[in-house]
Amino acid sequence: MQWPQVRGTLLLSPHSDRLEEKALMLAASFLREGKLVAFPTETVYGLGANALNPLAVSQIFKAKGRPADNPLIVHIAGIEQAFALAREVPPEARLLARYFWPGPLTMVLPKHQNIPNITTAGLSSVALRVPSHPLALRLIREAGIPIAAPSANISGSPSPTTAAHVLADLAGHIDAVLDGGHCSVGLESTVVSLLSSPPALLRPGWVTRGMLEDILKKKVMDFSALHMDEQSPGPVLSPGMKYRHYAPQAPLFLVEGEGEPQRRQLMALAEGFVMQGRRLGLLLFEESKSYFSAPVKVVLGSRSDPAAVARRLFYALRKLDFLGVDVIVAEGLEEKDLGKAIMNRLRKAALKIMRPDGKGGFLWVKG
Ligand code: TXA
Ligand code: MG
């Protein structure tokens, strides 16, 4: 089988069961040889390499331009194999695994000595995840090794939710991408640290803090809003938290809040940019699209369907860049359940944020 290539990167896009088997075999053999293969998960595409091979892992950092102090998540196909990579497994971890693995939850545990330091950026802990995407599971099983995989984007840009996004960022820098279509969750996994008691939420995702607390029957601390910018003081719990992320090329201005006051603020901001002759793109919810007349409007879905919004968010950010806008004005939504993960990504993508001041006005809170 001759697979198509984009600048030397193989596009493994299987359109039949037989081809899928071939694509998986080739991708798995690449991983065993120390090469880089991007693959679909239910959250976003990951950029995989053998987690136990320091040289292979170093290539991930190089291809992404990722800071060396930002540790990787190790992906495994089975719960017991995952826990074998931890020095110690608290009962809470077993409980969470029973409910959420395979699935979009990453657990931080004390690391086993057989994981090289480069994989965990020198930390004595390791982030572990058993993804639920069938292609990811089959690939990891076939490779027979734990796979280190950050999101398969250039460091700082929106995470990829299609194989085309991966190629747009990394073609020519990685060996292959396994195409599994669109990712169903669309936002990266929830990261929870079990190094502390009570456990700590480090990154919000599809598995919400409330869901974790329901299963554990205890409080989970929320550290996900710490280090929203690189200047914040204090120790960094999850190194990835301190970097600007998910950002489109065009500067994004986020207006938080809701209802009529938010809409008026959005309009004022949008009109200001149009007056300056900027090519404006709006990122809106279904409910407000009819109020705005900018030529470029990207609609994320209804406020009442956060799962659809999550699925489309990174796609929408990339689309705005593709449409060639030079400034983006986006509206925020309520920070409830999955809304929390959506707002976490939007805030990190934003250059500037406006928030209601509680007195009927708005103030700048970032930038
Ligand atoms: O959904 C996902 O998690 C995707 C897919 C591919 O599985 N992966 C992903 O990886 O989002 P990445 O590298 O983009 O984000 C990993 C996050 C970073 O914020 C990193 O700092 C944090 O997890 N992390 C990794 N190991 C850690 C550790 N030992 N302690 C604390 N945080 C850790
Ligand atoms: Mg990432």
Side-chain angles (χ1 to χ4, degrees):
M1 169 74 199
Q2 275 287 40
W3 298 99
Q5 294 191 14
V6 181
R7 293 199 288 282
T9 297
L10 287 188
L11 173 59
L12 308 176
S13 238
H15 298 296
S16 69
D17 289 350
R18 196 179 58 83
L19 282 183
E20 194 169 274
E21 193 60 27
K22 280 198 182 321
L24 278 165
M25 294 295 188
L26 185 60
S29 69
F30 277 2
L31 288 170
R32 280 193 301 269
E33 290 163 20
K35 294 183 173 164
L36 299 185
V37 178
F39 62 96
T41 82
E42 71 281 17
T43 57
V44 300
Y45 275 71
L47 176 56
N50 181 352
L52 305 179
N53 176 342
L55 195 60
V57 171
S58 73
Q59 298 304 312
I60 292 182
F61 285 91
K62 196 164 146 210
K64 279 186 59 104
R66 183 177 177 101
D69 69 351
N70 196 359
L72 307 177
I73 296 174
V74 178
H75 297 68
I76 327 82
I79 294 178
E80 283 319 309
Q81 293 97 309
F83 286 151
L85 300 175
R87 188 160 34 79
E88 220 180 282
V89 183
E92 287 104 328
R94 295 203 176 272
L95 198 54
L96 292 178
R98 189 161 351 124
Y99 279 88
F100 297 114
W101 278 357
L105 178 69
T106 295
M107 291 194 240
V108 176
L109 293 170
K111 126 180 156 57
H112 192 282
Q113 61 188 24
N114 58 9
I115 301 181
N117 285 331
I118 184 171
T119 306
T120 60
L123 296 180
S124 57
S125 59
V126 61
L128 299 170
R129 176 159 112 82
V130 180
S132 65
H133 195 293
L135 280 181
L137 284 174
R138 283 170 66 195
L139 176 65
I140 300 165
R141 235 176 250 137
E142 182 59 39
I145 39 177
I147 304 296
S151 49
N153 50 283
I154 290 173
S155 217
S157 75
S159 296
T161 54
T162 67
H165 293 168
V166 176
L167 288 172
D169 276 19
L170 296 173
H173 300 279
I174 65 176
D175 297 288
V177 52
L178 180 61
D179 187 356
H182 287 256
C183 299
S184 59
V185 174
L187 298 180
E188 306 83 352
S189 61
T190 305
V191 180
V192 63
S193 169
L194 296 159
L195 301 177
S196 59
S197 186
L201 179 72
L202 302 182
R203 180 171 73 185
W206 188 89
V207 175
T208 62
R209 182 175 168 207
M211 288 157 82
L212 296 171
E213 290 179 336
D214 282 350
I215 299 301
L216 294 174
K217 303 211 169 29
K218 64 157 87 159
K219 271 227 116 18
V220 169
M221 295 181 288
D222 188 357
F223 288 162
S224 64
L226 296 181
H227 309 292
M228 282 303 287
D229 60 65
E230 282 149 60
Q231 279 82 45
S232 355
V236 175
L237 293 161
S238 184
M241 295 160 91
K242 70 181 174 178
Y243 295 107
R244 180 148 182 254
H245 260 112
Y246 321 119
Q249 308 277 311
L252 186 149
F253 293 74
L254 174 64
V255 180
E256 299 190 355
E258 54 193 298
E260 187 52 33
Q262 183 196 35
R263 206 147 48 223
R264 270 204 311 272
Q265 193 56 53
L266 278 163
M267 272 176 190
L269 204 55
E271 274 167 19
F273 286 130
V274 172
M275 302 261 277
Q276 292 167 15
R278 310 275 293 267
R279 276 170 300 161
L280 170 70
L282 290 172
L283 188 58
L284 301 171
F285 298 108
E286 192 65 44
E287 287 79 359
S288 37
K289 72 171 184 204
S290 60
Y291 291 89
F292 294 89
S293 61
V296 179
K297 287 193 274 189
V298 172
V299 176
L300 283 169
S302 167
R303 284 177 180 273
S304 63
D305 188 1
V309 171
R311 196 153 51 235
R312 288 188 199 129
L313 179 62
F314 290 141
Y315 195 93
L317 292 176
R318 283 181 182 261
K319 184 163 175 188
L320 284 160
D321 276 338
F322 181 77
L323 293 172
V325 303
D326 60 26
V327 62
I328 300 168
V329 172
E331 57 177 334
L333 86 171
E334 201 191 346
E335 249 187 308
K336 204 179 83 195
D337 301 330
L338 190 51
K340 194 165 165 63
I342 295 166
M343 284 306 287
N344 169 275
R345 305 314 190 271
L346 265 175
R347 286 185 183 133
K348 289 198 180 198
L351 182 70
K352 295 194 172 217
I353 300 174
M354 275 198 150
R355 190 171 289 166
D357 63 7
K359 295 178 244 156
F362 281 78
L363 49 87
W364 290 109
V365 292
K366 179 178 176 184

